[in-house]
């Protein structure tokens, strides 16, 4: 055993706790007041953009949005106007669309840069000179039904017109049940740079204003865009908290009443929990860290550890008090033992949380940091403040004759709970090796089964379902959730339009586009595309600078002649003097269209591919990368689905890396700690066995219950180690103390351990699994899944500690 004298630090803390409890309490309250200031400085961060900032695909997408005029599929500064009706191509419906766009354009606060719609295309087909919304409205008003039908038939020959109409568009009857119009806004910096850091988008106020305007026209028009989505992301955070926090508080209070059975002890426990939350989020505000949806999971985790520490402190103190020891002597004995256990739990839990720091995703790294800091605060509050407050309170009780209630500890000998808790010890007496073999087989099966767990990432994870559960809709104010439209709207777009915001792939290419082979190489890349790409014959259906060149060549004979002169091989794609071709194009009326696909310095371009609406995220991502690899230019595949797929892959990789890191560092920490305090490093491995088993059971359960490994649940594998150590460390450390006192009789020590600490572990498990499990009531699916996973993690940690650890200890004792 090493000579490190850790006991003197415990004695120093004991002296302050038992001899100066009032001073300790006042110091903690002052520190709480300081952290409370930070609560006023918390900003919010929401949505999927917080996960995509470091992705190469997102960087490419940002470049596309910055360098090119926005297209429908990837526009950041645009508002979509989704119109529904029996026939949105009727005169009245088209006039309603144009009228709404006109009112938006007339409002300077909306900063409208341009508008587009199927109605505008019909109007310009009727009157090619109708370039303004006023003129387009007049063109529609003055046209006869026959003229409108004819114009629609002519416009239907243009893919740009039909792409704005629903799949049921019928050119012969000139009818469609839905259409999409757009209003593009001049928003500095773009949404991708400003949304997600403050929790709001510069488009939110704009699109909310357009939404109010939509109610003034006689048509069913839904306003949709990044501003609306951002607002709903933020609202869901608070709506979920309003529902979850009261329910969790009620359940936790019920079980704490059962665990403490004393109003003053209950009050001290609750106050300590509040202090832990205030310190943690006060630190978040003072450090300037935004409150994201990921951080909603931190309070339940702090409650899990805090409740456990609180119940153990009071329970261990009561074990001494029932033997007639004084307040000071009882607390000294309790803290002497629990300080070491709390330190082990804190160290390993911090390791579990901090393991998320190796993630490539900033929100997950930030979550690991805040959770780890919160656990340290929880250790200080429940290891020092709560015992000091308890001592001070009990001295006042003695002075003023206030009676104590529920003085007996949980799981006392002879109680029903005490008898149930010895099941694991009984199994260890009879067949410890059989228990270990069966556990090994179960763990292998669960771990193998877990390899098929779903790994997805989508903004839908953060949004409410289209139809909220009945109990949520029936909630009275102030618990009633707001009205959410994003899920319904995105589902409508996916069901009714061939190409929506998610069903396209953009290849962003950089290089010398004046090179003779530049356009030829792009054209060759489009031949025989992957299966997920929509084709036109054997060529990919793509919009690129060649699309604009062809369109202008069809309108201008001189430009067509220029293209033909510079098309050496006669395949319709110019391959000589490309700078001259581009110059002529940018000097033409097609300049705006050209700048959608090529920059003015001719150094970068985008090619937008249509994707099969039934293609999966994997198929779209693989197809995009395949196309990009064919380019001779430096090319990156991007687009919403590719960005989300990249994040999904990063999440899975981060989960595995964090799990491995947490296991390795936890094992080293436990081995070193038990070597220092007991001279028995092998006890650290004893402590680790039930944790590994609980992680395997948890991973298998995720697949069994259909819970994907998404942005939030991915963190739980490493967190499960931290939370699992909470239970096994208390068990093993208490066993070591009882083992010495019993003269190294392993079964006497185990019996005393399960009755002593088993009751506190049971109370902690029941309180935290129900309190955290109530997250399943959250409106956001990802929070509900996280609540279930954390509750399962705690339950498995408790189960393996009580049923498996006794057998592991018996085998350890025989081998050593």
């Amino acid at each position: 055993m090493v000579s490190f004298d850790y006991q003197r630090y415990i004695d120093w803390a004991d002296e302050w706790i038992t001899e100066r409890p009032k001073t300790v309490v006042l110091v903690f309250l002052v520190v709480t007041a300081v952290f409370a200031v930070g609560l006023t400085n918390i900003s919010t961060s929401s949505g999927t953009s917080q996960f995509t900032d470091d992705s190469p695909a997102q960087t490419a997408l940002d470049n596309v949005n910055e360098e090119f005029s926005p297209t429908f599929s990837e526009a950041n500064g645009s508002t979509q106007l989704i119109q529904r009706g029996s026939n949105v191509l009727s005169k009245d419906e088209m006039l309603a669309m144009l009228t709404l766009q006109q009112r938006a354009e007339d409002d300077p606060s909306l900063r409208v840069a341009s508008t587009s719609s199927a109605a505008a295309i019909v109007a310009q087909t009727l009157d090619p000179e109708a370039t303004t919304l006023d003129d387009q409205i007049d063109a529609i008003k003055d046209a006869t039904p026959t003229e409108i039908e004819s114009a629609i038939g002519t416009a239907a020959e243009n893919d740009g017109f039909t792409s704005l109409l629903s799949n049921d568009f019928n050119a012969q009857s000139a009818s469609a049940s839905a259409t999409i119009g757009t209003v593009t806004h001049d928003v500095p910096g773009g949404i991708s740079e400003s949304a997600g850091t403050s929790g709001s988008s510069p488009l939110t106020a704009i699109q909310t204003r357009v939404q109010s305007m939509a109610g003034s026209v006689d048509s069913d028009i839904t306003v949709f865009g990044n501003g609306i989505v951002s607002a709903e992301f933020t609202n869901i955070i608070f709506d979920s908290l309003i529902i979850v926090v009261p329910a969790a508080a009620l359940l936790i209070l019920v079980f704490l009443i059962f665990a403490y059975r004393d109003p003053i002890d209950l009050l001290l426990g609750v106050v300590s929990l509040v202090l832990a939350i205030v310190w943690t989020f006060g630190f978040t505000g003072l450090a300037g860290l935004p409150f994201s949806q990921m951080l909603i999971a931190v309070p339940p985790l702090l409650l899990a550890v805090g409740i456990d520490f609180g119940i153990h402190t009071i329970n261990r103190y009561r074990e001494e008090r029932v033997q007639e020891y004084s307040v000071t002597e009882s607390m000294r004995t309790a803290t002497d033992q629990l300080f070491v256990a709390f330190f082990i739990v804190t160290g390993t839990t911090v390791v579990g949380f901090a393991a998320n720091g190796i993630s490539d995703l900033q929100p997950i790294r930030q979550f690991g940091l805040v959770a780890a800091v919160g656990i340290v605060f929880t250790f200080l509050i429940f290891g020092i403040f709560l015992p000091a407050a308890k001592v001070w309170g009990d001295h006042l009780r003695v002075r003023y004759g206030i009676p104590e209630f529920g003085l007996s500890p949980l799981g006392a000998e002879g109680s029903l709970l005490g008898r149930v808790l010895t099941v694991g010890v009984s199994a260890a007496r009879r067949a410890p090796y059989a228990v270990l073999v069966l556990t090994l087989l179960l763990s292998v099966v669960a771990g193998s089964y877990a390899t098929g767990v779903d790994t997805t990432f989508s903004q839908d994870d953060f949004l409410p379902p289209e139809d909220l559960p009945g109990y949520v809709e029936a909630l009275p104010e102030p618990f009633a959730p707001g009205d959410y439209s994003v899920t319904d709207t995105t589902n409508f777009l996916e069901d009714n339009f061939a190409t929506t915001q998610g069903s396209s792939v953009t290849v962003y290419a950089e290089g010398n586009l004046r090179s003779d082979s530049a356009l030829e190489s792009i054209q060759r890349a489009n031949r025989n595309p992957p299966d997920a790409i929509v084709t036109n014959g054997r060529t990919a259906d793509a919009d690129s600078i060649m699309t604009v060149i062809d369109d202008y060549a069809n309108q201008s004979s001189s430009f067509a002649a220029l293209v033909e002169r510079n098309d050496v091989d006669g395949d319709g794609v110019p391959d000589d003097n490309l700078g001259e071709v581009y110059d002529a194009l940018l000097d033409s009326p097609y300049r705006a269209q050209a700048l959608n696909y090529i920059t003015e310095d001719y150094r970068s371009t985008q090619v937008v591919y249509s994707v099969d609406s039934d293609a999966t995220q994997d198929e779209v991502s693989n197809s995009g990368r395949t196309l990009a690899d064919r380019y001779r230019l430096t090319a990156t595949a991007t687009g919403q689905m590719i960005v989300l797929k990249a994040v999904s892959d990063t999440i899975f990789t981060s989960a595995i890396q964090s799990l491995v890191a947490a296991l390795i560092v936890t094992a080293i920490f436990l081995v070193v700690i038990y070597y220092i305090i007991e001279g028995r490093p092998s006890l650290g491995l004893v402590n680790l066995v039930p944790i590994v088993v609980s992680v395997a059971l948890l991973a298998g359960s995720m697949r069994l219950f259909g819970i994907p490994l998404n942005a939030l649940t991915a963190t739980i594998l490493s967190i499960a180690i931290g939370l699992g150590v909470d239970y096994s460390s208390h068990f093993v450390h208490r066993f070591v103390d009882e083992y010495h006192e019993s003269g190294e009789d392993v079964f006497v020590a185990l019996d005393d351990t399960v009755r002593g600490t088993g009751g506190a572990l049971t109370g902690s498990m029941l309180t935290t699994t129900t309190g955290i499990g109530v997250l399943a009531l959250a409106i956001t699916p990802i929070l509900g899944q996280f609540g279930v996973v954390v509750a399962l993690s705690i339950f498995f940690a408790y189960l393996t500690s009580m049923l498996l650890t006794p057998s592991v200890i018996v085998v350890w004792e025989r081998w050593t």
Side-chain angles (χ1 to χ4, degrees):
M1 185 182 297
V2 296
S3 59
F4 176 70
D5 183 16
Y6 63 88
Q7 186 62 44
R8 65 192 180 98
Y9 295 102
I10 296 177
D11 292 340
W12 174 81
D14 279 343
E15 183 178 348
W16 278 91
I17 290 170
T18 58
E19 303 299 331
R20 305 176 187 176
K22 183 177 179 180
T23 302
V24 171
V25 170
L26 293 177
V27 168
F28 272 76
L29 293 179
V30 170
V31 175
T32 302
V34 174
F35 278 120
V37 175
L39 296 177
T40 63
N41 192 42
I42 295 179
S43 60
T44 60
S45 175
S46 58
T48 56
S49 62
Q50 57 186 312
F51 295 93
T52 61
D53 289 341
D54 298 329
S55 165
Q58 180 63 48
T59 301
L61 186 56
D62 290 341
N63 290 337
V64 167
N65 291 327
E66 180 180 346
E67 296 176 9
F68 305 109
S69 301
T71 63
F72 164 72
S73 62
E74 301 294 350
N76 274 330
S78 70
T79 297
Q80 284 79 54
L81 307 176
I82 303 165
Q83 187 178 29
R84 314 179 204 194
S86 57
N87 181 15
V88 294
L89 294 177
S90 67
K91 176 183 284 192
D92 289 343
E93 293 287 4
M94 287 193 291
L95 286 174
M97 172 65 77
L98 293 172
T99 299
L100 177 57
Q101 290 181 319
Q102 182 190 48
R103 292 176 182 175
E105 188 178 65
D106 291 342
D107 188 336
S109 68
L110 299 182
R111 309 180 66 166
V112 175
S114 64
T115 62
S116 64
S117 66
I121 295 175
V122 172
Q124 289 185 294
T125 304
L126 290 166
D127 179 7
E129 302 297 323
T131 57
T132 68
L133 287 168
D134 285 333
D135 293 340
Q136 291 165 8
I137 290 172
D138 289 339
I140 298 290
K141 280 184 178 179
D142 296 340
T144 66
T146 302
E147 290 172 335
I148 290 176
E149 287 187 14
S150 176
I152 291 173
T154 302
E157 298 173 4
N158 184 347
D159 289 341
F161 175 74
T162 56
S163 68
L164 298 176
L165 298 170
S166 54
N167 296 331
D168 61 1
F169 167 63
N170 188 318
Q172 291 184 339
S173 62
S175 65
S177 63
T179 183
I180 300 174
T182 61
V183 178
T184 303
H185 309 276
D186 182 15
V187 180
I191 176 121
S192 62
E193 296 177 353
S194 39
T197 56
S198 63
S200 62
S201 159
L203 288 175
T204 299
I206 289 174
Q207 290 174 352
T208 302
R209 173 67 177 149
V210 177
Q211 202 169 35
S212 66
M213 287 182 174
S216 66
V217 298
D218 188 17
S219 182
D220 180 8
I221 298 179
T222 301
V223 178
F224 185 67
N226 285 316
I228 299 292
V229 173
S230 179
E232 291 202 6
F233 276 144
T234 301
N235 291 340
I236 286 169
I237 291 179
F238 295 105
D239 283 350
S240 293
L241 287 175
I242 287 173
I243 293 174
V244 168
V245 170
L250 179 62
L251 286 172
I252 288 173
L253 183 62
V254 169
F255 281 101
L256 286 180
I257 291 172
F258 162 75
Y260 287 124
R261 290 160 291 146
D262 183 284
I264 294 179
D265 290 349
L266 175 63
L267 177 63
L268 294 177
V270 171
V271 168
S272 299
L273 290 173
V274 172
L275 261 59
I277 300 297
V278 171
W279 281 34
T280 301
F281 288 103
F283 161 81
T284 302
L286 293 175
L289 301 174
F291 186 91
S292 67
Q293 284 151 313
M294 293 286 293
L295 296 189
I296 293 179
V298 172
L301 297 175
L302 298 183
L303 292 177
V305 177
I307 288 170
D308 174 69
F309 282 7
I311 292 176
H312 268 91
T313 298
I314 300 301
N315 207 59
R316 187 67 187 89
Y317 171 77
R318 287 176 178 176
E319 288 184 46
E320 300 303 314
R321 289 287 284 152
V322 295
Q323 299 181 53
E324 303 299 330
Y325 289 108
S326 69
V327 170
T328 299
E329 291 174 318
S330 297
M331 188 57 74
R332 274 187 175 273
T333 302
T335 53
D336 275 353
Q337 184 184 85
L338 292 176
F339 261 143
V340 177
F342 286 178
F343 179 78
I344 294 173
V345 171
T346 300
T348 48
T349 306
V350 167
V351 165
F353 289 153
N356 290 288
I358 66 174
S359 172
D360 293 330
L361 299 175
Q362 182 182 2
I364 293 181
R365 293 197 302 270
Q366 187 182 101
F367 167 79
L369 170 64
V370 174
V373 170
I375 292 300
V376 173
F377 289 158
T378 302
F379 166 71
L380 295 175
I381 291 167
F382 283 89
I384 299 176
F385 170 79
L386 177 61
K390 176 63 175 170
V391 169
W392 188 23
D394 278 7
H395 282 318
L396 293 176
R397 270 180 158 166
V398 173
R399 182 184 305 174
Y400 295 107
I402 301 173
E404 292 185 277
F405 305 92
L407 190 58
S408 62
L410 289 170
E413 187 173 1
S415 67
L416 175 61
L417 179 59
R419 292 193 296 271
V420 172
L421 292 175
T422 58
V423 171
V425 179
S426 299
R429 287 179 187 274
R430 293 180 174 84
Y433 290 100
V435 171
L436 296 187
V437 170
L438 289 175
T439 302
L440 177 62
L441 292 175
L442 180 61
S443 301
V444 170
V445 171
S448 301
Y449 181 69
T451 58
V453 69
D454 183 27
T455 58
T456 60
F457 183 81
S458 166
Q459 73 174 15
D460 292 343
D461 291 336
F462 297 88
L463 292 172
E466 187 171 356
D467 297 317
L468 294 175
Y471 67 85
V472 174
E473 292 184 334
L475 289 172
E477 293 294 345
F479 306 107
D483 294 325
Y484 300 112
S485 61
V486 170
T487 305
D488 174 70
T489 303
T490 54
N491 290 342
F492 179 82
L493 290 173
E494 291 173 1
D495 294 341
N496 292 277
F497 290 86
T499 301
T500 64
Q501 286 187 326
S503 55
S504 68
V505 167
T506 297
V507 173
Y508 173 70
E510 298 175 282
N512 182 13
L513 294 175
R514 290 185 175 89
S515 170
D516 292 342
S517 62
L519 296 183
E520 286 279 7
S521 69
I522 294 175
Q523 197 72 357
R524 281 194 295 270
N526 293 343
R527 296 170 187 163
N528 300 313
D531 292 340
I533 304 299
V534 175
T535 59
N536 185 1
R538 298 179 61 187
T539 304
D541 181 9
D543 291 325
S544 67
I545 188 62
M546 271 307 305
T547 307
V548 184
I549 289 174
D550 290 340
D551 288 346
Y552 185 41
N554 290 333
Q555 298 293 323
S556 170
S557 57
S558 61
F559 183 72
L562 174 65
V563 171
E564 186 176 356
R565 282 197 308 274
N566 293 288
D567 180 10
V568 177
D569 56 9
D571 64 351
V573 180
D575 47 17
D576 195 18
N577 298 318
L578 292 187
E580 184 181 349
V581 175
Y582 300 147
D583 289 341
L585 187 63
L586 294 188
D587 286 338
S588 74
Y590 280 71
R591 173 184 173 83
Q593 291 95 315
L595 291 178
N596 282 337
Y597 301 103
I598 193 170
T599 53
E600 293 188 73
D601 61 0
Y602 309 150
R603 297 295 302 174
S604 58
T605 184
Q606 69 162 329
V607 182
V608 182
Y609 297 90
S610 297
V611 174
D612 191 327
S613 59
D614 294 330
T616 65
Q617 206 175 67
D618 278 342
E619 292 169 342
V620 171
S621 182
N622 292 335
S623 296
R625 284 196 293 266
T626 299
L627 287 170
D629 290 342
R630 295 178 179 180
Y631 281 55
R632 289 188 177 180
L633 303 166
T634 302
T636 304
T638 187
Q640 186 184 53
M641 292 186 75
I642 290 181
V643 170
L644 295 180
K645 172 58 180 170
V647 175
S648 176
D649 292 341
T650 304
I651 286 172
F652 181 75
T653 302
S654 296
I656 301 303
Q657 291 175 340
S658 298
L659 175 63
V660 172
L663 278 172
I664 293 173
V665 179
T666 297
I668 294 172
F669 179 84
L670 289 172
V671 167
V672 171
I673 284 296
Y674 278 104
Y675 176 64
I676 291 174
I677 65 175
E678 290 295 331
R680 297 173 184 246
S682 56
L683 279 172
L685 300 181
V686 171
N687 212 330
L688 196 62
V689 171
I691 302 167
V692 175
V693 174
S694 66
V695 170
L697 294 176
L698 175 65
S701 298
M702 287 178 65
R703 181 181 177 185
L704 180 65
F705 296 126
I707 299 174
L709 200 67
N710 55 36
L712 202 52
T713 57
T715 63
I716 195 59
L717 294 182
S718 57
I719 290 172
I721 296 175
L723 294 178
V725 166
D726 194 352
Y727 288 83
S728 63
S729 292
H730 280 301
F731 193 103
V732 173
H733 186 262
R734 180 62 179 270
F735 164 78
V736 170
D737 285 345
E738 300 295 345
Y739 189 60
H740 292 318
E741 292 183 12
S742 65
E744 299 195 352
D745 186 320
V746 66
F747 290 110
V748 171
L750 283 173
D751 280 330
D752 290 341
T753 297
V754 296
R755 290 195 178 98
T757 198
L761 290 176
T762 303
S764 176
M765 182 274 294
L766 290 174
T767 305
T768 50
T769 52
T770 53
I772 294 176
V774 80
L775 277 174
L777 299 176
I779 301 173
T780 314
I782 195 171
L783 282 181
Q785 293 165 354
F786 183 77
V788 172
V789 170
V790 173
L792 285 173
S793 171
I794 293 170
F795 176 72
F796 287 140
Y798 168 79
L799 207 61
T800 54
S801 294
M802 299 304 297
L803 298 182
L804 175 62
T805 307
S807 293
V808 177
I809 287 174
V810 169
V811 172
W812 165 84
E813 197 264 348
R814 290 178 182 176
W815 284 5
T816 58

